[in-house]
Amino acid sequence: MSLLLNQITTALNNKKHSILIFCDLKKAFDTCNHDILFKKLINLGITGTSLLWFKNYLLNRKQFVTIENFNSTLLSILIGVPQGSILGPLLFLIYINDLPLHSNLLSYLFADDTALSNSSSNLDELFTTANTEFHKLCTYFRRNKLSLHPDKTKFLLILHNNTLTQPHHKLFINNNNAFENHQCNIIELNRVSPTDDMPAIKYLGVYFDQSLNFKYHISHISKKLSHALYSLRQVKNILPPNALRTLYYSLFHCHLVYAVEIWSNVPPHYLSHFSTNKKPPLG
């Protein structure tokens, strides 16, 4: 997340505009193709007994559904990596680890959360490049049996000069093959803007807005902290200090410190929600 923010702020310092594309894959863990995954493991040098171990882990798994006292028949699981396991996220990362090789867009991968960015001082050039390079990644996703969610995949435009007229450029999910131009395979991406009901987009637990002032995120965290303080006040005369301290770290402190190095680098008056002379009610 800090790499992404550093890249954008560096572009702003160089008077460049930036596009951030936040990809949302449909059931990413559940749609990993086993044959493709095994080929990628081989390319990483995992062969012989090690490869057989992974095949034994993934193949011949079965599932059934229970409704009340009725069970469905057993069906084989032909695709996907097990969720809730230690190896699930690791195998998925191996599955998409070659994504940055297929586009000139800067890629930031964290499990199934993928962000892409590109910067330029010319808006027309910025969107032309972004659409061309994003088309390459749309092709990559299809080849790897993955599918982008068109309603949840969004982009953020960050202008180096806020006084500029808001452009009407568009970005698309283009599912055409090379040299095809079927309009039914082209979907316009939603842009996150200050006039939306949700003027920011959540990435790895932090809300990014067009101005990078994190006002929406700070407001969101303030509400969470307010609820946590209310809960602590309700039990401060009932629970012993050790229990209150545990509650403080689990309900309040975790929200306050998460990614604080990202969203706290803003003008002091943006953080006025957090200014208080009261100490946490630890007894």
Side-chain angles (χ1 to χ4, degrees):
M1 199 184 328
S2 59
L3 290 175
L4 173 62
L5 187 61
N6 286 339
Q7 188 271 322
I8 298 302
T9 53
T10 300
L12 290 174
N13 291 335
N14 293 326
K15 296 184 178 181
K16 291 184 177 181
H17 314 292
S18 295
I19 282 180
L20 297 180
I21 306 173
F22 298 92
C23 299
D24 187 281
L25 294 169
K26 294 180 180 178
K27 298 188 177 298
F29 282 62
D30 295 331
T31 55
C32 291
N33 182 277
H34 290 162
D35 290 335
I36 295 175
L37 177 58
F38 295 146
K39 289 178 182 178
K40 294 189 177 187
L41 288 171
I42 292 172
N43 289 337
L44 291 175
I46 299 175
T47 58
T49 303
S50 299
L51 182 63
L52 289 175
W53 187 92
F54 279 105
K55 288 185 176 182
N56 182 265
Y57 178 74
L58 291 172
L59 300 179
N60 298 318
R61 286 178 174 266
K62 298 184 181 296
Q63 64 181 2
F64 67 94
V65 177
T66 297
I67 301 178
E68 294 182 352
N69 295 323
F70 298 93
N71 298 332
S72 68
T73 56
L74 281 173
L75 293 175
S76 297
I77 301 175
L78 303 178
I79 58 175
V81 295
Q83 295 195 48
S85 64
I86 295 174
L87 282 179
L90 177 62
L91 290 172
F92 181 78
L93 282 175
I94 292 173
Y95 195 82
I96 66 166
N97 194 50
D98 58 344
L99 181 148
L101 303 177
H102 295 265
S103 169
N104 289 325
L105 296 176
L106 293 176
S107 306
Y108 307 89
L109 308 179
F110 187 88
D112 58 340
D113 288 313
T114 300
L116 311 165
S117 72
N118 190 44
S119 301
S120 175
S121 56
N122 184 292
L123 273 174
D124 293 332
E125 179 183 310
L126 176 64
F127 274 87
T128 298
T129 301
N131 273 306
T132 300
E133 296 300 320
F134 192 50
H135 183 198
K136 296 177 183 178
L137 291 182
C138 292
T139 303
Y140 167 86
F141 287 131
R142 294 201 316 279
R143 286 177 177 171
N144 287 274
K145 313 297 183 182
L146 298 171
S147 177
L148 285 169
H149 199 302
D151 295 328
K152 295 182 179 180
T153 298
K154 300 181 180 182
F155 78 95
L156 193 66
L157 176 63
I158 300 174
L159 301 173
H160 77 80
N161 187 345
N162 290 330
T163 62
L164 291 176
T165 302
Q166 291 296 318
H168 299 287
H169 300 73
K170 296 179 180 180
L171 206 58
F172 301 94
I173 295 176
N174 188 340
N175 286 323
N176 286 309
N177 294 319
F179 310 112
E180 289 183 338
N181 190 29
H182 303 302
Q183 293 303 311
C184 59
N185 292 332
I186 300 177
I187 304 170
E188 183 180 342
L189 276 185
N190 294 319
R191 175 187 164 194
V192 180
S193 68
T195 58
D196 295 343
D197 293 334
M198 175 72 77
I201 187 165
K202 190 177 183 180
Y203 178 65
L204 301 181
V206 175
Y207 287 93
F208 286 78
D209 55 74
Q210 180 177 294
S211 301
L212 285 186
N213 57 29
F214 297 102
K215 279 186 177 181
Y216 185 88
H217 182 78
I218 291 171
S219 175
H220 177 74
I221 293 298
S222 295
K223 292 176 183 177
K224 282 192 172 185
L225 298 182
S226 178
H227 294 156
L229 286 175
Y230 175 79
S231 300
L232 288 167
R233 289 193 189 100
Q234 295 300 106
V235 297
K236 68 178 182 179
N237 296 321
I238 301 173
L239 298 178
N242 287 341
L244 286 172
R245 186 172 289 104
T246 300
L247 278 179
Y248 164 75
Y249 281 108
S250 60
L251 298 179
F252 188 96
H253 188 264
C254 58
H255 296 300
L256 183 62
V257 300
Y258 177 73
V260 67
E261 67 278 4
I262 300 294
W263 56 262
S264 64
N265 293 313
V266 295
H269 64 275
Y270 288 167
L271 301 174
S272 59
H273 292 288
F274 295 119
S275 61
T276 177
N277 293 323
K278 297 180 180 180
K279 295 181 180 179
L282 301 180

